[in-house]
Each structure stands twice: as structure tokens, then as C-alpha cells.
Amino acid sequence: MADPAAQRAYGAPCPGCGAPVVFQSAQATHAVCAYCHSMVVRSGEALQRVGRVAELFDDHSPLQIGAAGRITLDGGAQPFTLIGRVQYLGDAGRWTEWTALLPGGSTGTLSEDNGAYVFTRPVDGPQPLPAAGQFTVGANAVLGGKAYSVAANLRVQVVSAEGELPNRPSLQRPSQMVELRSADGEVLTIDYATDPPQAQRGRAVQLPELALSGLKTESASDDRGVRQFSCPNCGSPISVQLASTQGVTCPQCHHLIDLSGGIGGELKHARQAQRVTPLLALGSTGRFQGESWQLVGFQRRSGSIDGEAFSWDEYLLYQAQRGFQFLVDASDGWSLVRPTTGAPDYTPGASTAHYLGQTYRRTDAYAARTDYVEGEFYWPVQVGDRTDNTDFTAAGGNGVLSREQSGNEVTWSHGEKLPAAQVKQAFGLDTQLARSGRADAAPWTPELSRALLIFAVVMITLFILLVLVGSCSERSGGGVRGAGGSYGGYSSGGSHK
């Protein structure tokens, strides 16, 4: 926890209800009364009421005001305490930014989004900062002499707040927020809600490394973690297990239900035309990277290249301390990937990308579509969602890299190919997992490319010979009929939200 001796708390009665409002941070100018939800600002020795905030959206976060931990900054571990939070709503859903009080009264921000966390601190960016419209999603940008990739350019608004805040949020007034990511994992966000815009810089963190105390108790999390409601289509009871779920399917009628606006009122839902049975059962547990991961969601996606259609399956895995990752089942084998924090060094349209010291070669680029979903998802997934995907494989290795762009956001995923035997062992299965005619994934090499080319030439030559033989045969109704389709199908490494 931040050193109390270094802080001088300031308190005064709330002008709305008279309840005490305490400021622990010298940098906090505004606060939200915990009793009447009034937004107050310091005015001399008193507080002035400047508005009222809506009630917080219950995101079932394990974090809460008063939780304390340690973060490595400037080469050393520093204590911090969470003293406030702001909830945002954007195109891709809601997320929360917690105000962290650091020693000496300075503050940082712990962003929480779907089980992923980023810790940032205010920085003096180049002045003036470029206008939000100058950042094109997916393009490269240089700020302060450092190269970044533009990961998002979102229209957002503050919907609620709690506790102490470093500045007054613009409630219900939309503004732009730009997120930049570098190849070494740095995250730079620019908030255009203020004039001049404010920049923060930091990196991704995981809850265990923060050594947090004062989190919501496990009993409270258990009581509040499971949300229950009736399916808006068939009325069947539905239990939502994960706090971050924004999309879920009914286990009875398989309608897809949007929970991004919370449970209550009229829920958006959509019928799915045809059910797909996953090879791996929802709710089952697999062991990867020394941890047990629960399979909470499944989606089938499809695409096409030069008129040739293909599909693949993605299983969403969840682990309480490490968030989400994807187990991908494609025609060339299995792979385990998760969204990256940093953005690989890549120029759109280039044949290679570089990430964590490894070179990746572009294998395919295509438009992808979501065809079927089942289970729970941390984004409001919809059948028919479309993205532009680019897949890469490591030169001579098992690494895979995927870039997915949808509207005003780019997501990169990174992982490695897995043998089917490892997937079976992880889930304790004794059934055959591989699809018909599909082998385990293998590194893509120049030798493999030449072998496939030679095979294709041989097959085409044989086909021509068969056609010629058939045309020369007796006209007795006989002949040769070739099977349709292409050899081996098409393999995709998958891509991920």
C-alpha cells in the first residue's frame, strides 16, 4: 500500500448529501460521493457539486477501491492503492480504468478489459499531439522517436465513475481514444476527451505479478459471479459463469444473446440456422502451460481464397489469473494462441512480420466470417461478424502469428502449433480428434512448398491423361468420373478477438 506518511488526506462534506468525501491523492481534482453519486470538485476548503453520475455497471470485477499491490516502475517495485475508477463504453463493449495512487501522491491507471490488464502512467507526449483523425488503424506511426502500430481509434464515452479521479470525466459526451502498441510490448493511449489530449504509457500485467491484497472476497465473487436469467426466445434458464461475458448462447434453442448492455430489460438475440457439434465439450478442462483452462466458448468461422471455401473452429479457454486464450482446430492441425500486448513490426501488405526476435512469413490474407457460436464470450459476438485476416508462420518453426482487423480496431494473436496427441492428453480424451484426412500441423518450409508443387503437377498430368483416355474409349457408356474438390483443402491458422 502507498506510504501513508507521504500522503495528506483532504476531506469535506458532500454538498449533495453531507456524507464525508475524502481525497487521498493530491493530484485528484474530482471525486464521486459513495452515497448520493454526486460528482464533486475541490473548491478551496469546500466541495462543489458539478453533476451526478449513473450507477456503475456491475462488471463482477475482482478489483475494488482500497485494493493494494506492487508494480515494477523505473527499475524498482512501488506500492500502489486503487482509489477510483471510470467505466467506458465503446464500439467493442465496456471496460474499466482504475486510478492507482503511487508514493508521493502521483497516480497511474490500471486498465481492466475482459480479464486483461494494462498499467500506465501519464507522460508528456510530443506537443501538439496529432489529431485523432491522423491515426489510421493498422498503419504505423512514430511518436517521440519510437515506432508504434495503431491498434485502435475508438469513439468512446464515460458512463459512470467511482471514488477519486485525476480529472473530471466528460459524462455521456463521446470523444476519441487512440491506442498505439510497439513491438516491445509498450502501450501508448491518447485520450482526446480533454484539451490538450492526455497520453499515458505502460505495459500489460497479470494479476499474480501485482501481488494484490484487499480484493473482493472469494465468497462475494462466488455469490455475484453467476448471473441467471431466462432466454428471451424460449424461456429456458441460462446461467452465465464468467464476469466478463458479453455474449452467450441458450443451451436449449441455441439462440445467440447479446449481454453487452447487462441483464435486464429487452435482450437482443438471434437465431442460428444450423447447430454445429464441437469436438471438445463446453465446460471441459484442459491443461496447458502448467495451468488448468476451462473451455467456455466455441465458434466456427469460415473464409475463402480465389473462390475456394474453408472453415476452422476456435475454442475459447479461460483461466482466472491469466485470462483468455484460443485453441484453434484448422485443417492443418491444432494451435494455441492468445492476443498479444505489443504489435509486431509489420507494414500492411508486406510479406513478412517480425515479433519477439522471430521472422514470420505471410501465408494467407482473406475475409473471415463467424458462422456459428456456442457458450460464453468476452465480446458481443454475432453470427455474420466479418474481419480481414492475415496469417503468418515462423520460418522453419512452429510459431504462428495472426492479424485481424475489424472496423476501427486491429488485434494480433501469437502462439504455436500443437500435435493432436497433446490436445487429447490435455483434456484426458481417448477419442480421435483429427478431422478426416488431416495430419498434425508441421512447420512450413521451402522443401514442403516444392513437394506440394511437384505433387500438384503430377496430379494435373494424371488428370489430363485420364481425360484423354476416356475420350478415346469405346462409346459404351463407360469412362472415368473424377471427384470434385481440391487436395487437402485449405488450412487457416485462425484469428482471434
Side-chain angles (χ1 to χ4, degrees), residues 29 47 87 109 146 180 203 286 337 378-379 384 408 474:
T29 59
L47 299 177
Q87 288 186 335
T109 299
K146 185 163 188 173
L180 309 172
R203 61 178 178 86
V337 301
Y378 61 79
W379 71 95
N408 52 11
E474 293 182 354

Side-chain angles (χ1 to χ4, degrees), residues 163-231:
E164 300 177 48
L165 310 171
N167 49 65
R168 179 182 178 181
S170 301
L171 296 171
Q172 305 298 334
R173 190 180 73 185
S175 61
Q176 290 299 124
M177 184 174 290
V178 172
E179 181 177 278
L180 309 172
R181 297 186 177 233
S182 68
D184 61 1
E186 186 175 280
V187 179
L188 180 66
T189 61
I190 306 174
D191 187 352
Y192 289 87
T194 60
D195 188 15
Q198 295 184 344
Q200 295 209 40
R201 181 166 54 214
R203 61 178 178 86
V205 294
Q206 293 188 354
L207 286 188
E209 71 179 90
L210 297 179
L212 287 161
S213 61
L215 298 173
K216 291 177 184 174
T217 62
E218 298 230 348
S219 59
S221 297
D222 291 341
D223 292 340
R224 302 176 62 193
V226 178
R227 294 173 283 169
Q228 295 183 333
F229 65 99
S230 297
C231 173

Side-chain angles (χ1 to χ4, degrees), residues 426-481:
F427 285 92
L429 302 176
D430 55 8
T431 57
Q432 181 67 22
L433 288 180
R435 292 177 180 171
S436 177
R438 190 195 71 184
D440 285 333
W444 188 270
T445 63
E447 291 76 12
L448 181 58
S449 299
R450 287 192 292 270
L452 289 178
L453 179 60
I454 293 172
F455 182 85
V457 171
V458 171
M459 293 297 292
I460 292 172
T461 302
L462 288 175
F463 178 77
I464 294 173
L465 289 175
L466 288 172
V467 171
L468 292 175
V469 170
S471 65
C472 296
S473 64
E474 293 182 354
R475 297 176 182 176
S476 60
V480 177
R481 180 177 180 272

Side-chain angles (χ1 to χ4, degrees), residues 106-157:
S106 63
T107 60
T109 299
L110 180 61
S111 298
E112 178 185 21
D113 184 10
N114 304 318
Y117 300 87
V118 174
F119 195 98
T120 58
R121 286 189 296 173
V123 294
D124 295 327
Q127 295 296 334
L129 285 166
Q134 294 183 241
F135 292 103
T136 301
V137 173
N140 296 325
V142 177
L143 286 179
K146 185 163 188 173
Y148 296 91
S149 175
V150 182
N153 191 337
L154 303 172
R155 190 75 168 166
V156 305
Q157 65 183 41

Side-chain angles (χ1 to χ4, degrees), residues 82-105:
L82 301 182
I83 60 173
R85 62 169 164 167
V86 175
Q87 288 186 335
Y88 288 88
L89 176 64
D91 298 334
R94 297 174 185 258
W95 76 94
T96 300
E97 295 191 353
W98 295 86
T99 300
L101 176 63
L102 296 165

Side-chain angles (χ1 to χ4, degrees), residues 125-451:
Q127 295 296 334
L129 285 166
Q134 294 183 241
F135 292 103
T136 301
V137 173
N140 296 325
V142 177
L143 286 179
K146 185 163 188 173
Y148 296 91
S149 175
V150 182
N153 191 337
L154 303 172
R155 190 75 168 166
V156 305
Q157 65 183 41
V158 175
V159 292
S160 191
E162 178 186 24
E164 300 177 48
L165 310 171
N167 49 65
R168 179 182 178 181
S170 301
L171 296 171
Q172 305 298 334
R173 190 180 73 185
S175 61
Q176 290 299 124
M177 184 174 290
V178 172
E179 181 177 278
L180 309 172
R181 297 186 177 233
S182 68
D184 61 1
E186 186 175 280
V187 179
L188 180 66
T189 61
I190 306 174
D191 187 352
Y192 289 87
T194 60
D195 188 15
Q198 295 184 344
Q200 295 209 40
R201 181 166 54 214
R203 61 178 178 86
V205 294
Q206 293 188 354
L207 286 188
E209 71 179 90
L210 297 179
L212 287 161
S213 61
L215 298 173
K216 291 177 184 174
T217 62
E218 298 230 348
S219 59
S221 297
D222 291 341
D223 292 340
R224 302 176 62 193
V226 178
R227 294 173 283 169
Q228 295 183 333
F229 65 99
S230 297
C231 173
N233 177 61
C234 70
S236 298
I238 298 176
S239 295
V240 180
Q241 304 295 323
L242 300 182
S244 55
T245 295
Q246 297 190 43
V248 66
T249 55
C250 173
Q252 297 299 322
C253 68
H254 304 289
H255 269 231
L256 179 58
I257 305 166
D258 183 357
L259 301 181
S260 59
I263 294 176
E266 184 176 354
L267 293 172
K268 299 178 184 177
H269 60 98
R271 179 178 178 270
Q272 301 195 85
Q274 183 177 4
R275 187 184 179 190
V276 176
T277 302
L279 288 174
L280 302 174
L282 290 177
S284 59
T285 300
R287 192 162 184 84
F288 297 98
Q289 303 153 343
E291 302 282 354
S292 294
W293 295 76
Q294 185 179 12
L295 198 163
V296 298
F298 164 82
Q299 63 174 340
R300 173 157 292 178
R301 307 185 70 192
S302 64
S304 66
I305 295 180
D306 297 331
E308 182 180 358
F310 55 91
S311 66
W312 69 96
D313 296 337
E314 295 181 357
Y315 296 89
L316 180 61
L317 305 179
Y318 172 75
Q319 204 276 338
Q321 296 295 319
R322 301 179 65 180
F324 296 93
Q325 62 180 348
F326 293 83
L327 180 63
V328 181
D329 180 16
S331 60
D332 67 340
W334 296 84
S335 57
L336 186 66
V337 301
R338 66 181 303 148
T340 67
T341 300
D345 183 7
Y346 172 70
T347 300
S351 60
T352 59
H354 303 275
Y355 185 63
L356 300 179
Q358 176 74 52
T359 298
Y360 292 80
R361 296 172 179 166
R362 188 181 69 180
T363 55
D364 295 295
Y366 52 93
R369 182 185 186 275
T370 298
D371 296 329
Y372 178 83
V373 298
E374 192 170 319
E376 300 184 30
F377 297 85
Y378 61 79
W379 71 95
V381 61
Q382 298 289 337
V383 170
D385 284 348
R386 296 179 183 274
T387 57
D388 292 320
N389 296 6
T390 308
D391 292 338
F392 304 80
T393 57
N398 286 323
V400 293
L401 193 63
S402 180
R403 179 184 187 271
E404 178 178 303
Q405 182 166 350
S406 175
N408 52 11
E409 190 171 8
V410 170
T411 302
W412 285 88
S413 300
H414 174 255
E416 63 180 2
K417 299 176 181 178
L418 300 178
Q422 183 176 343
V423 178
K424 290 172 60 177
Q425 182 180 8
F427 285 92
L429 302 176
D430 55 8
T431 57
Q432 181 67 22
L433 288 180
R435 292 177 180 171
S436 177
R438 190 195 71 184
D440 285 333
W444 188 270
T445 63
E447 291 76 12
L448 181 58
S449 299
R450 287 192 292 270

